[in-house]
Amino acid sequence: MPEAVLDFVVQVDRPEAVADAVRAHPAVRTRGGGTKTALRPADGVVLDLSALRGVVEYEPSEFTFTALAGTPVREVEALLARHGQYLPFDPPLAAAGATLGGTVASGLSGPRRYRYGGVRDFIVGCRFVDGEGRVVRAGGKVVKNAAGFDFPKLLVGSLGTLGVLVELSFKVFPRPPAHATLRVQRRDLQEALGTLRSLATSFFDVEALDLVPPSTLWIRVGGLGESLPVRVDRLRSFLGGEVDVVEEDAALWEAAREFAWLPSGWSLVKVPTTPRRLAELESRLGGSESLRRYSVGGNVAWVGWPGDPHPLSEALAELDLRGLRLVGPPGPVTLGRWEADPFGVRVKHALDPTGRLGRIAECNTGSR
């Protein structure tokens, strides 16, 4: 399928330039690092935000930073690492060039969301340009603030349809000095799901918990180097059965958040779910050519799909599930069953009454 032809691209490097461009054109779409290829703009004027980059303010002692929306996640991670800090929600596709604005707009978080929460839990403030070309400041630059309506969290997962993000403030955490990963092999899916549920309700402090079907669990723990071996031994005793400690811990989870398992040309679909629904989802998709990874303790299904995504959309609809296609060739973005959100429609009308910023998704995609 040939790529859609865009009207033209406007590169912007200042928030004021974004506001001018929005006011000047009847239809505006945004582009940052270009890592989420299925979300690429299909029509209208494209605002290229890649030059809108740079850290505006960073206070290591306050555990907060503010940066422009086009700033690559990798640049921020490198800066934080020099001060022993990091973004615990594991922004996906960072190595591929994902930006802060694209991460927030798509509502994406990685494996460690299981322990620390997602992007919605770490954004504390933002500036954005609404559909009328007004620059709006929301939230603040500190962890505790009373800045009125919590627009930053509302914009998570909005795909740019409520406003063009131009500046973002986040809270950060100290980076654990040591990590260990356990690989747990079970006999079948049901036994693996039983282990997953047992671990989720246990007292063990686990950073990440993923299931690769049919029956392999990946478990990550972090903390002080001197106490980690004892914690790992207790966890192994609790799990029982076939448990291995993996040496290449960092490389393994980096590959997970970069979706290294996804073949070139395939679609990547995010499906919010629950651990209780994994069995029926796996039963429905297990006979297909798809690849699946159930992350965040079974609350997010990452589905790799070859070819036409319509069969996957039909399967998700039958299960009353919805999916957001993030990576892949041009085609539908939303799959499965999406329901209208009256509140979202009202917010859309208030922030973008003429529809300059595109059609709002039926649901906010950042909720899971």
Side-chain angles (χ1 to χ4, degrees):
M1 182 183 297
E3 292 191 17
V5 178
L6 303 174
D7 289 350
F8 59 91
V9 177
V10 177
Q11 190 169 66
V12 291
D13 59 2
R14 296 174 296 107
E16 297 76 16
V18 175
D20 291 342
V22 169
R23 287 192 296 267
H25 303 287
V28 175
R29 307 293 182 265
T30 58
R31 182 175 68 194
T35 57
K36 301 159 192 69
T37 54
L39 302 180
R40 63 166 59 92
D43 56 15
V45 172
V46 175
L47 298 186
D48 185 339
L49 305 178
S50 59
L52 187 70
R53 62 193 292 175
V55 175
V56 176
E57 186 176 339
Y58 176 37
E59 295 291 342
S61 62
E62 297 293 332
F63 293 90
T64 59
F65 75 89
T66 299
L68 296 175
T71 307
V73 171
R74 265 294 192 255
E75 289 186 9
V76 173
E77 289 183 328
L79 174 62
L80 296 176
R82 292 198 289 271
H83 297 272
Q85 298 175 352
Y86 77 131
L87 287 166
F89 64 90
D90 276 346
L93 300 172
T99 62
L100 290 175
T103 297
V104 172
S106 57
L108 293 190
S109 304
R112 274 190 285 208
R113 190 194 119 186
Y114 177 77
R115 168 64 177 82
Y116 299 106
V119 57
R120 184 189 300 274
D121 301 292
F122 285 85
I123 184 171
V124 295
C126 70
R127 280 200 294 163
F128 66 95
V129 176
D130 70 7
E132 298 287 86
R134 298 170 295 194
V135 180
V136 181
R137 182 180 295 277
K141 295 184 178 182
V142 295
V143 174
K144 293 183 178 180
N145 66 77
F149 191 81
D150 204 348
F151 271 113
K153 289 180 172 56
L154 183 67
L155 294 171
V156 173
S158 65
L159 300 179
T161 60
L162 299 179
V164 181
L165 292 163
V166 295
E167 185 181 277
L168 299 155
S169 297
F170 289 88
K171 65 180 178 180
V172 299
F173 279 4
R175 178 181 290 275
H179 289 92
T181 293
L182 282 68
R183 179 178 58 215
V184 181
Q185 192 66 48
R186 294 305 190 221
R187 290 176 298 181
D188 52 31
L189 177 66
Q190 289 301 325
E191 188 173 291
L193 290 175
T195 300
L196 183 147
R197 288 191 291 267
S198 296
L199 188 57
T201 56
S202 73
F203 60 87
F204 289 100
D205 188 8
V206 172
E207 282 195 1
L209 174 57
D210 282 16
L211 167 61
V212 177
S215 55
T216 302
L217 292 163
W218 297 94
I219 304 166
R220 192 182 205 194
V221 293
L224 298 176
E226 55 268 28
S227 64
L228 201 58
V230 175
R231 292 173 58 200
V232 169
D233 286 344
R234 289 175 178 171
L235 184 54
R236 294 181 70 176
S237 178
F238 172 82
L239 293 167
E242 186 178 341
V243 181
D244 300 313
V245 179
V246 181
E247 294 184 2
E248 299 297 327
D249 169 87
L252 187 152
W253 292 103
E254 178 73 6
R257 77 164 179 163
E258 294 297 319
F259 307 106
W261 50 269
L262 184 74
S264 177
W266 284 37
S267 292
L268 176 68
V269 181
K270 176 188 175 183
V271 181
T273 184
T274 66
R276 292 185 178 277
R277 305 209 62 186
L278 294 189
E280 60 178 342
L281 179 59
E282 183 62 16
S283 176
R284 188 66 176 80
L285 299 182
S288 68
E289 296 182 7
S290 67
L291 298 175
R292 287 88 56 208
R293 186 181 181 104
Y294 302 120
S295 191
V296 195
N299 287 290
V300 174
W302 296 109
V303 181
W305 188 267
D308 183 2
H310 284 95
L312 175 59
S313 185
E314 293 175 356
L316 294 177
E318 291 174 4
L319 295 173
D320 197 23
L321 293 172
R322 58 187 172 89
L324 180 69
R325 202 169 65 92
L326 298 160
V327 174
V333 173
T334 56
L335 307 180
R337 188 178 299 279
W338 290 68
E339 298 178 356
D341 176 13
F343 175 74
V345 172
R346 292 197 298 270
V347 173
K348 172 68 172 177
H349 181 72
L351 295 178
D352 184 26
T354 61
R356 274 194 177 101
L357 305 180
R359 182 179 64 86
I360 187 171
E362 290 85 342
C363 297
N364 184 290
T365 60
S367 59
R368 285 261 176 102

